[in-house]
């Protein structure tokens, strides 16, 4: 019985190692494929066609185009004052607000000829990419700034229509070196709109050399 028990443990252990190695190979191949995708770079003010590209494995965004109209970095207090944003003490605690906000005003349009149920715009997990990191949007501020979205980052527009959105990105002191934070206004960022099979990004600010 002891020998059978020992053999069973060896078999289970070997199986676990095999599964772990298989997972590791798949993970490496997937990340290598994603990191090697071609990148298209756009300037602010240009319409970016989503075509068949997707964001982080999200939904089909065919027929949609996005244009970044303005981008402004400001302190949280200035941002709240500019847009007359008010939180209760409880809401403020839950919002996990950063020290600064990168406010991107964008316009989205549906260039399709007919209404399709299989396409739509998908901002879920949309990142603002810097040289060494990605920053995300603040959910509480997104809801305040985009009441038309009803709390969703996935939506559809009627063919031939367009809509304006604000994407408030979290700029937190803890993400940056102290020397970088002192000159954060000079830090370069790009808005990543799709990640696969093509990566499409809009340069929000070129990094100072």
């Amino acid at each position: 019985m002891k020998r059978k028990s020992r053999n069973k443990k060896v078999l289970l252990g070997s199986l676990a190692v095999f599964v772990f190695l298989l997972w590791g190979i798949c993970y490496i191949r997937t990340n290598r494929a994603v990191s090697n995708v071609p990148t298209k770079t756009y300037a602010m003010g240009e319409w970016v066609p989503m075509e068949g590209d997707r964001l982080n494995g999200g939904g089909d965004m065919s027929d949609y185009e996005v244009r970044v109209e303005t981008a402004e970095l400001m302190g949280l207090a200035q941002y709240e004052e500019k847009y007359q944003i008010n939180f209760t003490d409880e809401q403020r605690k839950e919002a996990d607000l950063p020290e600064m906000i990168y406010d991107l005003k964008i316009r989205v349009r549906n260039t399709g000829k007919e209404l399709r149920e299989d396409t739509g715009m998908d901002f879920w997990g949309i990142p603002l990419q810097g040289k060494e990191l990605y920053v995300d949007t603040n959910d509480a501020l997104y809801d305040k700034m985009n009441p038309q979205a009803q709390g969703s980052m996935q939506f559809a527009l009627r063919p031939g229509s367009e809509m304006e959105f604000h994407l408030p990105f979290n700029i937190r002191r803890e993400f940056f070196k102290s020397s970088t934070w002192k000159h954060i206004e000079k830090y370069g960022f790009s808005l990543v709109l799709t990640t696969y099979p093509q990566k499409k990004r809009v340069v929000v600010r070129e990094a100072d050399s």
Side-chain angles (χ1 to χ4, degrees):
M1 290 295 292
K2 289 184 178 180
R3 182 175 297 175
K4 288 183 178 180
S5 178
R6 186 178 300 116
N7 289 340
K8 186 177 180 180
K9 289 181 179 178
V10 171
L11 180 61
L12 290 174
S14 299
L15 182 60
V17 170
F18 175 75
V19 171
F20 179 78
L21 288 174
L22 184 62
W23 175 85
I25 291 170
C26 292
Y27 179 83
I28 291 171
R29 284 181 176 177
T30 300
N31 279 272
R32 184 176 295 166
V34 172
S35 63
N36 290 335
V37 300
T39 300
K40 286 188 176 181
T41 301
Y42 297 81
M44 288 176 54
E46 289 187 272
W47 283 105
V48 183
M50 300 295 98
E51 300 171 310
D53 302 314
R54 298 174 183 246
L55 175 65
N56 302 323
D60 184 357
M61 298 185 287
S62 299
D63 294 339
Y64 284 80
E65 295 184 352
V66 177
R67 183 176 69 196
V68 179
E69 299 193 327
T70 63
E72 185 177 6
L73 176 67
M74 64 188 93
L76 179 62
Q78 180 186 353
Y79 182 83
E80 291 181 305
E81 182 179 359
K82 179 176 180 177
Y83 294 112
Q84 296 297 296
I85 295 174
N86 297 303
F87 286 110
T88 65
D89 290 341
E90 187 64 28
Q91 288 174 333
R92 185 173 294 278
K93 188 181 299 182
E94 294 178 356
D96 191 23
L97 298 169
E99 291 88 351
M100 302 190 79
I101 294 292
Y102 224 129
D103 174 44
L104 270 61
K105 184 172 76 172
I106 67 170
R107 185 160 287 274
V108 179
R109 69 183 181 186
N110 182 347
T111 61
K113 302 299 183 184
E114 58 184 9
L115 186 63
R116 295 173 53 185
E117 295 182 358
D118 60 335
T119 66
M121 200 62 214
D122 190 352
F123 284 150
W124 182 257
I126 190 170
L128 195 61
Q129 181 182 11
K131 181 180 179 181
E132 304 160 343
L133 54 87
Y134 292 87
V135 297
D136 59 354
T137 54
N138 186 279
D139 292 342
L141 291 176
Y142 177 86
D143 292 348
K144 291 277 190 182
M145 293 298 297
N146 304 287
Q148 75 279 20
Q150 299 180 342
S152 177
M153 300 192 85
Q154 298 169 314
F155 55 89
L157 300 178
R158 294 188 307 277
S161 67
E162 57 184 70
M163 191 174 292
E164 182 180 286
F165 291 84
H166 280 263
L167 299 180
F169 286 93
N170 293 307
I171 305 298
R172 302 182 188 277
R173 181 191 297 269
E174 62 188 287
F175 291 166
F176 301 89
K177 298 176 183 177
S178 57
S179 56
T180 302
W181 184 258
K182 290 179 181 178
H183 306 284
I184 192 64
E185 72 282 354
K186 298 180 180 180
Y187 195 81
F189 280 109
S190 294
L191 178 67
V192 178
L193 291 169
T194 68
T195 52
Y196 193 81
Q198 289 187 103
K199 179 178 179 179
K200 292 177 179 174
R201 68 187 187 111
V202 178
V203 177
V204 171
R205 190 189 190 286
E206 293 281 7
D208 285 5
S209 57

